[in-house]
Amino acid sequence: MIRTSRRARRRMLAGVGVAAVLVTAGACSSDSGGSDDASASGGGPAKPSGTVTVFAAASLQESFTALGKKFEKEYPGTKVTFNFGGSDSLAAGITEGAPADVFASASPKTMKTVTDAGDAAGTPSTFVRNRLEIAALPGNPDRIASLKDLTRPGLKVVLCAKTVPCGAAAQTALEASGLKLTPVSYEQDVKSALTKVELKEADAAIVYRTDVKAAGDKVEGVEFPESAEAVNDCPIVSLKHAGNTAGAKAFIALVKSAAGQKVMTTSGFLSP
Amino acid sequence: MSPSPAPAEADGGPAPSGRFRRGRPARGGRRRRTGAPLPLLLPALVGVCFLLLPLLALLIRAPWRDLPDQLTSAQVWQALRLSLLSATAATAVSLVLGVPLAWLLARTEFPGRGLLRALVTLPLVLPPVVGGVALLLALGRNGVAGRWLDEWFGITLPFTTTGVVLAEAFVAMPFLVISVEGTLRAADPRYEEAAATLGASRFTAFRRVTLPLIAPGVLAGAVLAWARALGEFGATITFAGNFPGRTQTMPLAVYLALQNDPAAAIALSLVLLAVSIAVLAGLRDRWLTAS
């Protein structure tokens, strides 16, 4: 807290004297409440402090956890807490008043639920894109090479529920290829679909490329050309009822920064 | 998660009291008729509101106009049918395995009985999701026992209706065991002893004397187990997955509908609420006629 105001003061003293005093006062008071940060950020980005609560799609878990650590290191005294889950239930939670500062969704459609409800502060922006991949058992014992192979009888395939982005994307890819696929289960989010393959209960799942990568050698990824038809844009936005506006803005800035994008692309995401 | 504990808790109340009333009639007669002091009355009323308000909200926010359309959709019927079917099957499994288990716990002496009793009732307090994970690790295609089922018989349980029944039975059977065991302990063992002196084997005595004696308790336990199975969510979605018509029961349908169609979720919840009330009402009736 002390460091925050001191830094702000130093920055301001380099500028014009009178304004510096005024804004320093603003910056000091901003330490106590998040809403004041927003007004202080008029002159330049306010120093984030306190806890930033991020609601993020299950597929972002690994990369965002890494970014959260980076954020806490960059802004000492801050803490980033995550709520990872199916984008749809997260969006439903936000519109029902869940206390979140940032929402990162796996598809524009779920983001729209939040913007339509008037819960977003500003316009969402796409920060990465994600592509589908088939997650097969290690060593690919079923020799799955294409989307069509998944329709083979006897093969246990798991899809995401059509209401969550990975399920909607899989549906789009299947429709684009004209294939009819009957899964054994429609899982509630991408991670639980992947888990069923990791536990070897299912032979394959259609998940994101990033999830296959995150699972390491527990599954084997099989790319398929139809995935190009169903690339999901991941939008991010700060939320109107956020308690920590400065923190939200700083976190989004980090995600979109060159360093943040590097973390995202090493996880397998595509830059927008 | 919310739909699963509701019926169990709602039923949990009257079950033991009904049993005690039958077991010890003196207790029912001891009724005080003094005015309630304010420090008790106030929290009690808050308690009533707390328990009833959510249910009331369900009724208030219900899309009554769209309800006929919502409830006649094929998916709702599919889920309801599967729910009723699997809950009934799970109750049957619980009866076949649970009544003998309850008898064993109540009527025989062996070392470690207390421990066994604690262990078999563990699913009562175990979070259902944990139960689902445990089932997956035991009976999954790659599970401790499931691997052999798959290799020897080609049977895999996850993602099947049988899997749903097993998940529900796992969670619901302890309710039946506890209920039947309590009834057995309250029932006088001298009738069985009398039957034995008249030459009946132990199994005949159980079948002809004990079972009719504890029938109301078994029935109450079965209804409890059925209601718990009907509301089961965590173990089902973890172990059996979610596929309409095969493993998607009502609670799963409610949970997934809530994400994109809250009106449908409310409509489905109303159905479960109605069924739960019907169970309570039925149970009440049975007890009145039984006692």
Side-chain angles (χ1 to χ4, degrees):
Chain A
M1 288 261 206
I2 296 163
R3 179 182 286 180
T4 305
S5 53
R6 196 182 292 154
R7 254 194 213 175
R9 210 171 282 152
R10 208 184 298 143
R11 174 157 33 100
M12 290 313 161
L13 282 174
V16 195
V18 182
V21 177
L22 288 173
V23 182
T24 309
C28 286
S29 69
S30 77
D31 289 338
S32 53
S35 55
D36 286 357
D37 281 330
S39 58
S41 73
K47 269 291 177 196
S49 61
T51 302
V52 188
T53 310
V54 179
F55 278 30
S59 48
L60 297 165
Q61 188 157 348
E62 290 78 16
S63 47
F64 265 38
T65 308
L67 282 178
K69 290 215 181 84
K70 204 177 168 66
F71 185 86
E72 284 168 4
K73 214 183 223 169
E74 210 158 299
Y75 303 105
T78 59
K79 182 157 176 37
V80 187
T81 55
F82 291 105
N83 179 13
F84 295 110
S87 292
D88 254 279
S89 55
L90 294 177
I94 289 164
T95 56
E96 290 293 328
D101 300 311
V102 176
F103 177 43
S105 163
S107 82
K109 188 173 158 271
T110 38
M111 178 56 82
K112 197 166 172 291
T113 325
V114 171
T115 50
D116 282 356
D119 286 320
T123 333
S125 55
T126 302
F127 64 102
V128 282
R129 308 173 81 198
N130 209 350
R131 237 179 128 133
L132 293 176
E133 206 169 286
I134 296 166
L137 294 175
N140 199 355
D142 299 299
R143 303 225 173 109
I144 296 161
S146 69
L147 201 55
K148 191 165 183 296
D149 288 342
L150 295 184
T151 61
R152 231 187 284 149
L155 208 64
K156 285 190 197 312
V157 181
V158 163
L159 293 182
C160 299
K162 286 167 197 165
T163 55
V164 288
C166 62
Q171 204 60 32
T172 311
L174 285 166
E175 270 164 26
S177 58
L179 290 170
K180 256 206 151 61
L181 171 62
T182 311
V184 288
S185 179
Y186 291 103
E187 296 292 316
Q188 70 269 31
D189 64 38
V190 65
K191 290 295 179 200
S192 56
L194 186 72
T195 304
K196 294 279 152 73
V197 182
E198 284 183 19
L199 290 172
K200 297 195 169 75
E201 294 305 336
D203 300 309
I206 299 183
V207 294
Y208 293 118
R209 210 167 75 150
T210 51
D211 295 299
V212 172
K213 203 155 185 173
D217 51 10
K218 281 180 274 182
V219 298
E220 184 158 323
V222 178
E223 292 198 26
F224 58 99
E226 295 90 340
S227 66
E229 308 287 333
V231 175
N232 268 1
D233 290 347
C234 300
I236 193 166
V237 79
S238 67
L239 297 166
K240 200 179 258 176
H241 303 291
N244 193 348
T245 317
K249 280 193 175 146
F251 185 79
I252 294 174
L254 173 68
V255 170
K256 298 180 81 172
S257 70
Q261 287 293 304
K262 206 176 155 211
V263 171
M264 301 305 295
T265 45
T266 32
S267 294
F269 285 99
L270 310 166
S271 279
Chain B
M1 210 48 116
S2 64
S4 58
E9 238 125 83
D11 290 344
S17 75
R19 211 164 59 221
F20 284 144
R21 208 180 304 143
R22 281 178 43 73
R24 290 174 238 169
R27 191 173 259 209
R30 197 176 44 161
R31 194 169 285 170
R32 295 198 196 116
R33 283 231 169 262
T34 47
L38 207 64
L40 293 183
L41 192 64
L42 228 56
L45 286 179
V46 173
V48 168
C49 289
F50 171 64
L51 292 177
L52 292 187
L53 186 69
L55 302 178
L56 207 64
L58 207 56
L59 294 176
I60 293 169
R61 294 280 299 272
W64 293 109
R65 198 177 300 161
D66 305 332
L67 211 54
D69 286 340
Q70 294 277 11
L71 295 184
T72 47
S73 83
Q75 191 162 358
V76 171
W77 278 112
Q78 229 177 16
L80 184 62
R81 212 179 65 97
L82 186 72
S83 269
L84 297 176
L85 198 86
S86 56
T88 308
T91 309
V93 171
S94 301
L95 276 171
V96 170
L97 306 178
V99 173
L101 180 56
W103 183 85
L104 204 70
L105 291 173
R107 284 284 190 268
T108 60
E109 282 292 342
F110 56 90
R113 195 188 57 170
L115 183 70
L116 181 71
R117 186 177 184 278
L119 287 177
V120 299
T121 51
L122 199 60
L124 276 180
V125 288
L126 200 68
V129 185
V130 178
V133 174
L135 279 170
L136 209 51
L137 297 183
L139 299 175
R141 192 172 63 166
N142 199 37
V144 175
R147 184 178 313 167
W148 307 114
L149 277 181
D150 185 23
E151 244 168 60
W152 293 342
F153 309 106
I155 300 171
T156 56
L157 295 167
F159 311 122
T160 61
T161 309
T162 315
V164 177
V165 173
L166 288 180
E168 290 182 350
F170 180 79
V171 174
M173 188 151 65
F175 281 84
L176 180 108
V177 173
I178 286 287
S179 176
V180 173
E181 199 218 351
T183 317
L184 269 168
R185 284 191 186 282
D188 199 334
R190 279 177 300 180
Y191 291 109
E192 290 160 51
E193 284 158 19
T197 57
L198 293 173
S201 74
R202 227 173 163 189
F203 182 62
T204 311
F206 170 77
R207 203 163 42 88
R208 303 286 294 270
V209 178
T210 317
L211 213 50
L213 200 64
I214 60 164
V218 174
L219 188 78
V223 175
L224 254 174
W226 188 80
R228 182 66 189 84
L230 194 72
E232 163 47 34
F233 172 80
T236 311
I237 199 163
T238 316
F239 181 56
N242 168 59
F243 188 86
R246 199 184 315 140
T247 62
Q248 189 181 70
T249 55
M250 286 291 275
L252 270 60
V254 171
Y255 176 73
L256 284 156
L258 194 58
Q259 304 192 0
N260 68 333
D261 188 2
I266 298 171
L268 289 167
S269 300
L270 281 179
V271 175
L272 278 186
L273 183 66
V275 173
S276 303
I277 290 172
V279 166
L280 266 187
L283 217 52
R284 199 87 213 121
D285 231 29
R286 283 288 183 176
W287 273 332
L288 287 179
T289 51
S291 53

